[in-house]
Each structure stands twice: as structure tokens, then as C-alpha cells.
Amino acid sequence: MAENTSEQAGAGAVPRHVAIIMDGNGRWARARHLPRGAGHRAGVKSVRAVVEESIRQGVQVLTLFAFSSENWRRPRPEVDFLMQLFLTALRSEVKKLKENGGRLRVIGDLGAFPERLRLEIAEAEVATAANTKLTLQIAANYGGRWDLTEATRRIAQAAATGQLDPATLTEASLASQLATAGLPDPDLFIRTGGERRLSNFLLWQSAYAELYFTDLMWPDFGAAAYAEALADFGRRQRRFGQTSEQVMGQGAQALDSAPESPHDPDRVSSWP
Ligand code: IPE
Ligand code: IPE
Ligand code: MG
């Protein structure tokens, strides 16, 4: 297994956290004169392939965008189909994830989901909680702006009740209120399906992610295509605001990932 050196420049580094916008299911199906649902169903195979390859290569966190805050705007039958597929995939895939030593975590506004689905998500999270090989994070009814709004609401509430002195708020303490709290930021951000946009995915967390876009539709994105994306990441130089010379000068020594801005003290607030 490759050593985890995602903060290092180039040299075949493996990203610690990969975030993926799994796009193109509908177009994949349309090209085959199939209903859109067939594309979503075919996409589950790609999820499996990418999870397995992540474990093989030593990726620690994999975040997959399954349903966005904006996807409610789709026709009702497609939304219902996606909910049903989520439940089916949860049942079939979590067992495999557990056997492979993976842990499930679901982020997003789950309150809008059917009760049955919420219950099974909670059960799957508990059943895999002790696993440490890979954290598979599914973003469902997730939006970057929703995440930031919720965090801000909690911070404002804490300030209003006197639990938090606004002067002590830091980037780290704000990040601790996001849905992804406790996990490293994405190093590599992949979008399949040919579009080159972020679609309200991990907005704060991807501040320094390396972006990778591919024209492959999600159901066509298998282990080999994913391995190529990881290899591409390994050839990049991450600078986090420094010069290329500075980065080279640090040699094999890891850079701090996306260091806090110079005026921001290192101190991490203990709130809450
Ligand atoms: C991504 O594929 C899956 C979800 C958004 C749930 P799409 O359904 O967006 O596929 P295209 O973009 O229409 O091809
Ligand atoms: C983003 O894909 C959301 C998911 C993959 C779940 P969309 O296909 O919904 O994104 P837009 O609307 O084209 O930007
Ligand atoms: Mg799409």
C-alpha cells in the first residue's frame, strides 16, 4: 500500500481525502436509449469500484455526492427512484464495506428523507463505527451553502447564549461546526460527466483541493479511471501559497496542508 503523503508535493503522493461529484448517469442512460434510472443503477457499480480502489491505494476518506440540496428540483418520480436506490444500495453495499474494514458516515440534511432511510443510515453508521481503513462519507441532501449556514447558525446561537466569545472564533473552530468535522479537507476533488463546476459541493472544505474533471460518465468511471485520477494527483505540486522553490526546498518533508492564514494564531479554539 502506498504511504500516505497527500500534503507532500508530487512524488506519487496518495490523497488522504478524495471527494467525487458522481455526474453523468442520465446521459449515460440516454445514450443507450434507457430510462435515467438505469443510469443511476449502473452508477452503483462505479461506487463499489471506487471504494475498493480507495482501500487498495490507502485513501483514508472518500466523500461521494449522492444527492444535492438542489436535486429536489428533479421530477418527483426520479427523486423517489433515487431514494429507493439509496436504500437498496445501503443494504447491499454496507455489508461489503464492513467486511472491507470501511466506516460509513452520511452528511446532509437528512430530516427531509423518509424515516425508513434515516433509520437504516443510522444503523449502518453504528454497525461500521469501529472500522478504520476507509471512511466512506456519503453526501445526501447536502449543499455547501447549507453546511455553512448550519454552522453559522450554531455559532450565532452559542454567541447569543454567551457560550462563545466571537473574538475567539478561528477557521478551525468554524470548521469544527461543519458536517465534515474531524475529517481532513479533500485533497482531490473529482467530477465525472464533463461539466466543470462545483455544484455547491464541499465549498469551504475544498478551498485547496486539486480539481480533476473527466468527460467519462459516472457509470463508465471504474477502478482504472479512478487510478488514473489518483496518479494525476501524484504528479501535481501543491504549494499552499508558497513558491515552487520553497516547496522543493522542503524536500521530502511534508508541508502543512492549507495552513491557517498568517494573521490567524495557531491556537485551536476549544469551543464548543
Ligand atoms: C448524477 O447523474 C446523479 C445524481 C445527480 C443523483 P445525473 O442524474 O445528474 O446525470 P446527468 O447529468 O443528467 O447525465
Ligand atoms: C451534482 O450533479 C449532484 C450530484 C452528483 C449528486 P447535478 O447533475 O445535479 O449538478 P448540476 O445541476 O448539473 O450542476
Ligand atoms: Mg448531472
Side-chain angles (χ1 to χ4, degrees), residues 121-156:
I121 287 171
E123 282 171 9
E125 285 180 331
V126 170
T128 59
N131 290 351
T132 54
K133 241 190 194 152
L134 171 78
T135 296
L136 172 63
Q137 185 165 246
I138 304 291
N141 196 17
Y142 178 87
R145 288 181 172 182
W146 165 83
D147 200 359
L148 282 160
T149 305
E150 288 303 304
T152 307
R153 192 193 321 284
R154 277 192 290 275
I155 290 165

Side-chain angles (χ1 to χ4, degrees), residues 164-208:
L164 171 74
D165 172 3
T168 66
L169 188 70
T170 62
E171 291 186 9
S173 63
L174 192 152
S176 77
Q177 297 304 310
L178 294 172
T180 48
L183 297 179
D185 284 339
D187 302 295
L188 175 62
F189 183 120
I190 299 174
R191 181 174 191 140
T192 64
E195 314 292 356
R196 280 146 174 80
R197 55 177 172 258
L198 307 181
S199 297
N200 197 17
F201 198 22
L202 301 161
L203 297 181
W204 165 285
Q205 296 88 337
S206 298
Y208 253 108

Side-chain angles (χ1 to χ4, degrees), residues 15-227:
R16 200 156 45 151
H17 181 172
V18 181
I20 308 183
I21 299 185
M22 311 182 286
D23 196 20
N25 294 348
R27 280 163 287 160
W28 181 92
R30 195 172 58 210
R32 287 158 182 77
H33 308 286
L34 296 168
R36 293 178 60 84
H40 295 315
R41 211 180 284 121
V44 177
K45 283 197 204 77
S46 300
V47 170
R48 196 176 306 146
V50 164
V51 167
E52 286 170 4
E53 188 64 18
S54 293
I55 292 174
R56 249 193 311 277
Q57 296 226 17
V59 171
Q60 290 171 19
V61 184
L62 174 66
T63 303
L64 302 177
F65 206 4
F67 192 89
S68 76
S69 313
E70 291 74 29
N71 285 145
W72 293 108
R73 296 179 184 155
R74 294 196 176 194
R76 185 76 218 187
E78 178 163 351
V79 170
D80 289 344
F81 182 92
L82 285 167
M83 295 297 157
Q84 190 51 49
L85 182 66
F86 192 5
L87 193 57
T88 317
L90 196 65
R91 287 172 182 162
S92 62
E93 302 306 311
V94 164
K95 200 166 168 282
K96 288 192 198 86
L97 183 69
K98 202 174 167 195
E99 284 163 10
N100 289 330
R103 171 182 181 197
L104 181 79
R105 177 166 163 159
V106 180
I107 56 168
D109 187 3
L110 300 186
F113 282 1
E115 165 109 48
R116 180 83 238 148
L117 183 54
R118 279 198 320 237
L119 207 72
E120 296 206 19
I121 287 171
E123 282 171 9
E125 285 180 331
V126 170
T128 59
N131 290 351
T132 54
K133 241 190 194 152
L134 171 78
T135 296
L136 172 63
Q137 185 165 246
I138 304 291
N141 196 17
Y142 178 87
R145 288 181 172 182
W146 165 83
D147 200 359
L148 282 160
T149 305
E150 288 303 304
T152 307
R153 192 193 321 284
R154 277 192 290 275
I155 290 165
Q157 257 156 10
T161 56
Q163 286 170 273
L164 171 74
D165 172 3
T168 66
L169 188 70
T170 62
E171 291 186 9
S173 63
L174 192 152
S176 77
Q177 297 304 310
L178 294 172
T180 48
L183 297 179
D185 284 339
D187 302 295
L188 175 62
F189 183 120
I190 299 174
R191 181 174 191 140
T192 64
E195 314 292 356
R196 280 146 174 80
R197 55 177 172 258
L198 307 181
S199 297
N200 197 17
F201 198 22
L202 301 161
L203 297 181
W204 165 285
Q205 296 88 337
S206 298
Y208 253 108
E210 296 293 326
L211 306 179
Y212 183 91
F213 298 103
T214 166
D215 290 335
L216 283 175
M217 299 296 140
W218 177 248
D220 290 328
F221 191 81
Y226 181 50

